[in-house]
Amino acid sequence: MIRVTRLTKSFLMKGGRRRVLRDLSFEVPSGSNLAIIGGEASGKSTLVNLIGGVDYPDRGKIRRAGTISWPFGQMRYERSMTLSQNLRFLCRVQGVRDFDDIQQQVHELTGFEREFGNPVEMLRQPEQRLLNVALSLSFSFDIMLLDGKPSFNNLPNKERFEEKMAEKMSQSSIILATGKPKEIGREYAYILVLDGQSGRLYDNRRDAIQAFKASVDNRPVTVDNNQSKTVDTPPVTEGGNVRGIRN
Amino acid sequence: MVTREQQFGHRVRSALAVQSGVVFALAVREMYRKFGAYKLGVVWALIEPIMMILVFMLIFGARGRGEFGFIDPPLFILASFLPFKVLFTQSLQNVNTSGRGIGAFKALRQVSLFDLMLARILLTSVTALLSLVVISLGLAWVGYDPVPDRLIETLAGLALIMLFGFGLGIIFCVLGSFAKEMDKITGLINLPLLFLSAVFFPMTIVPEPFRTYLSYNPLVHPMEMIREMWFSHYTSPVLDLRYYGIWLVCLWALAMACYRLRWRQIVAA
C-alpha cells in the first residue's frame, strides 16, 4: 500500500524556486504495480526518490507498508573497502542476516570471484554497472523502485538477469517511472500521469496514455520559465513529513 | 486491533532495530574507511591516540616540572590530554565533517545524518576508552598507579567533555553548510582552546584574577572534574558543575534546533 497525501516538492535553482510536484495525492493498494509516466522534467524521478525515502518532500505525507528498495541500480560504495565489506555493510543497514546468501546471489549474477576480496576501486566501469544491477536484484523488498526500465542488453548473462528480474517482479510490487508508454505492460494495474504540476491516477491503460500524450502536447516549453518567475513561493521551512517506517 | 506485523508486513523492523543496525554498520565502515589501507589495519585506530599521548608524555612529562603538585607527570598528561585531544577535539572534528561524509549514503534511506554522527562518536569514544586501558596497563607495568581514585565519576567526566564536543560539532556542521569558511575557524579555535581550557596546567597554579576569567570557559570544568575525581588529593578551586551543566543544556538545545532546521539541506548538498 502506498498512500500519498498532498505532496509538494520544489527545488531551489539559479532562476528561483522550481516546483515539480504540487498537492499530489493518490493511493495504490497493496500488491499492485504502479507505473509513473510523464514528460521530461515532470518529476518522475523526484517522485520515485520521495517514495523511496531518499529525498524529502516540502509538504505532504507518504505512507507505505512493507519494505522498500533503493532506486534500482543506484548504489554507492566505499571505494577503499573491499566488495565483501561493502556488501556486509549493506546487509547490516538493510537488516539482512544472511550475508553469505547475498554474496552467493551476487556471485551467481556477476560471476565475481576474487573481486569480493579486492577494494571496489579496482572494479572497472562495466563491472561496477554489473554490480549495481546485481545488487538490486539480490535483495528482496515488498516494494521495488525502478527509475526507468532496466535494460540488461549490455550485460553478460543477459538471460540470467532477465530471469531474476521476472522472479523479483512476481514477488514484490513494482513502482516504475518512465517516459515511454510502451514500457508499461499489462502488469501495471495503476498508472500515474504527471504533467509537470501535479498528477492523476488511472486504472485504465488506454486513458492514461491518452492523458499522457495530451499533457506532453499541451505543455509548451516556455511554461516552466514563466512559472518559476511569477509563482512567488516563500521558502518552505516547515518539515515535510515522511511517515511510515524507517526500514 | 491491527498488529504491527499485519500493518507493515513481517519484514519491517522496529525503528530502534533499524537505527542500532545502521549505527553499528556505520561505525565498522568508518573504521575500515580510515584505516583499511594501512598494513596494520584497524589496529591504527588504537595506535594513533596512544602514540599521541606518549609523545605528549615525553614532551611535557619528562621535564618533571613541579607545578602538578604531587601528581606524577605521566598520569597528569593522561588525565588531561586524553579527554581534551581525543574525546573533545576529535569528537568535534568527526561530527563537524559528517556533512561531507553523508553523500555516500544517498541511496540508503535508513542512514540519517545523525546516525553518521552517532557512529563517529561511538568509534571515537570506544577507541579513547581502549587506548586509556592500554596506556594504563603500560603505566602500571612501569610502576605507576593509573587507576582513577573515583572511577565512575572520572568516566562521567570523560562523557561530559565528549558531549560538549559532540554538540559543538553539530553546530559547526550546520554553520559549515552555510559557508565553507567555517572549516578554517574550527581549525583556528583548537589551539587557543588548548591553552584556555586548563589542559596542561591545573587551575591551582593560575593566579587570580585570571583564575576567575578562565573559569568562564566551560571546558575548564570537566577538565577539572576529571582531575579531581581521578586524584583524590587534588581539589579544584573553580569546579562548578552547575555552570557547566547549564552550558551543556543550552549548547545541545541550540545544536538540536540547528540540526532540525538544516539537516535536509546538508544531506541534499
Side-chain angles (χ1 to χ4, degrees):
Chain A
M1 184 269 305
I2 292 161
R3 188 192 299 140
V4 171
T5 333
R6 298 182 67 85
L7 187 71
T8 299
K9 174 73 183 174
S10 61
F11 288 102
L12 204 54
M13 293 185 148
K14 277 219 174 93
R17 197 165 272 272
R18 197 177 111 65
R19 209 170 254 206
V20 276
L21 299 169
R22 164 179 282 167
D23 279 341
L24 176 67
S25 301
F26 65 89
E27 181 172 346
V28 177
S30 289
S32 18
N33 295 343
L34 168 72
I36 301 166
I37 191 166
E40 263 179 52
S42 60
K44 305 180 298 278
S45 302
T46 308
L47 185 57
V48 165
N49 287 344
L50 287 170
I51 293 174
V54 295
D55 201 349
Y56 312 96
D58 298 340
R59 269 191 303 256
K61 282 180 183 172
I62 301 168
R63 251 194 111 73
R64 56 196 161 244
T67 59
I68 193 160
S69 76
W70 61 89
F72 192 92
Q74 299 177 15
M75 181 50 64
R76 297 187 184 183
Y77 310 93
E78 176 55 54
R79 297 173 56 78
S80 61
M81 272 166 39
T82 67
L83 179 51
S84 276
Q85 286 168 341
N86 271 292
L87 280 181
R88 205 176 272 271
F89 169 77
L90 200 55
C91 287
R92 284 188 184 123
V93 168
Q94 303 288 351
V96 176
R97 299 261 161 124
D98 198 349
F99 165 71
D100 292 334
D101 175 51
I102 295 287
Q103 182 155 340
Q104 181 61 29
Q105 287 190 53
V106 174
H107 164 71
E108 276 168 17
L109 282 169
T110 59
F112 284 175
E113 199 75 69
R114 289 171 54 197
E115 283 87 344
F116 284 110
N118 288 340
V120 175
E121 61 196 352
M122 284 173 70
L123 291 182
R124 275 163 293 144
Q125 202 76 41
E127 287 173 332
Q128 222 172 85
R129 226 174 14 246
L130 188 68
L131 174 65
N132 278 342
V133 177
L135 216 50
S136 275
L137 289 173
S138 299
F139 286 85
S140 301
F141 298 97
D142 296 336
I143 304 168
M144 199 165 168
L145 292 173
L146 306 175
D147 189 2
K149 202 179 171 100
S151 141
F152 305 115
N153 283 334
N154 300 326
L155 304 176
N157 324 317
K158 183 182 157 204
E159 294 77 21
R160 205 183 296 166
F161 276 98
E162 272 166 358
E163 205 176 290
K164 192 87 177 175
M165 187 69 199
E167 183 196 321
K168 289 289 161 193
M169 289 190 66
S170 66
Q171 285 169 357
S172 23
S173 41
I174 307 289
I175 296 179
L176 167 74
T178 177
K180 301 184 192 110
K182 65 171 191 288
E183 287 186 352
I184 302 176
R186 285 169 179 283
E187 63 272 25
Y188 296 94
Y190 293 87
I191 300 177
L192 180 74
V193 180
L194 293 177
D195 56 12
Q197 273 297 302
S198 193
R200 233 186 117 184
L201 190 69
Y202 294 85
D203 53 6
N204 177 317
R205 194 170 175 273
R206 198 186 302 149
D207 292 350
I209 287 168
Q210 226 159 38
F212 165 67
K213 288 203 167 121
S215 82
V216 171
D217 293 341
N218 290 342
R219 216 164 125 246
V221 191
T222 48
V223 168
D224 272 356
N225 292 334
N226 283 339
Q227 223 127 46
S228 60
K229 274 170 199 153
T230 51
V231 180
D232 186 26
T233 325
V236 187
T237 46
E238 66 185 283
N241 194 354
V242 190
R243 288 291 296 272
I245 346 103
R246 280 213 329 174
N247 189 307
Chain B
M1 212 188 96
V2 189
T3 63
R4 217 189 128 71
E5 197 157 294
Q6 286 165 334
Q7 202 179 355
F8 300 125
H10 65 282
R11 272 187 291 188
V12 172
R13 297 167 291 161
S14 72
L16 189 67
V18 176
Q19 189 166 22
S20 53
V22 164
V23 170
F24 177 67
L26 284 174
V28 174
R29 178 183 164 124
E30 283 292 305
M31 201 163 66
Y32 284 135
R33 185 180 65 82
K34 264 173 143 170
F35 305 107
Y38 294 102
K39 275 275 173 292
L40 288 177
V42 292
V43 183
W44 270 107
L46 265 183
I47 299 178
E48 217 174 40
I50 290 177
M51 278 205 326
M52 190 181 72
I53 299 289
L54 286 182
V55 167
F56 280 126
M57 280 181 184
L58 285 177
I59 295 173
F60 294 104
R63 284 156 64 189
R65 293 183 300 185
E67 58 256 38
F68 303 145
F70 27 102
I71 303 168
D72 291 320
L75 284 182
F76 183 86
I77 300 291
L78 181 62
S80 311
F81 280 84
L82 189 93
F84 192 84
K85 290 294 280 185
V86 181
L87 278 171
F88 174 73
T89 312
Q90 282 196 15
S91 295
L92 172 60
Q93 266 329 332
N94 290 342
V95 173
N96 183 16
T97 51
S98 295
R100 256 164 281 153
I102 195 70
F105 310 106
K106 268 250 159 76
L108 292 170
R109 53 191 310 272
Q110 292 90 344
V111 180
S112 74
L113 179 58
F114 195 75
D115 292 335
L116 183 61
M117 292 173 170
L118 215 54
R120 290 184 170 187
I121 285 290
L122 188 74
L123 197 60
T124 314
S125 305
V126 169
T127 46
L129 277 184
L130 282 179
S131 41
L132 179 66
V133 170
V134 172
I135 296 171
S136 299
L137 286 177
L139 285 177
W141 191 33
V142 182
Y144 293 102
D145 173 23
V147 182
D149 293 328
R150 295 165 75 179
L151 186 63
I152 303 291
E153 286 91 337
T154 308
L155 291 178
L158 295 178
L160 279 178
I161 196 165
M162 178 274 283
L163 280 178
F164 203 92
F166 192 175
L168 205 58
I170 297 177
I171 295 174
F172 281 152
C173 179
V174 171
L175 291 179
S177 73
F178 288 103
K180 217 179 156 351
E181 283 84 345
M182 277 308 294
D183 287 351
K184 308 229 176 277
I185 297 175
T186 31
L188 276 181
I189 65 159
N190 264 328
L191 195 63
L193 269 185
L194 187 68
F195 286 99
L196 292 174
S197 305
V199 179
F200 42 79
F201 51 87
M203 283 304 272
T204 41
I205 67 159
V206 181
E208 288 285 5
F210 303 107
R211 187 185 281 177
T212 317
Y213 298 158
L214 272 191
S215 67
Y216 281 113
N217 175 4
L219 284 173
V220 164
H221 298 276
M223 292 304 296
E224 287 286 289
M225 176 188 174
I226 292 166
R227 230 162 259 155
E228 198 174 303
M229 298 306 160
W230 197 311
F231 313 107
S232 57
H233 51 268
Y234 177 77
T235 310
S236 169
V238 292
L239 177 62
D240 184 356
L241 277 184
R242 204 184 130 86
Y243 174 74
Y244 181 67
I246 291 169
W247 259 94
L248 204 57
V249 169
C250 293
L251 182 84
W252 267 88
L254 183 67
M256 294 282 85
C258 286
Y259 180 86
R260 190 182 150 80
L261 282 176
R262 197 64 191 172
W263 69 269
R264 274 159 228 269
Q265 284 89 331
I266 300 176
V267 172

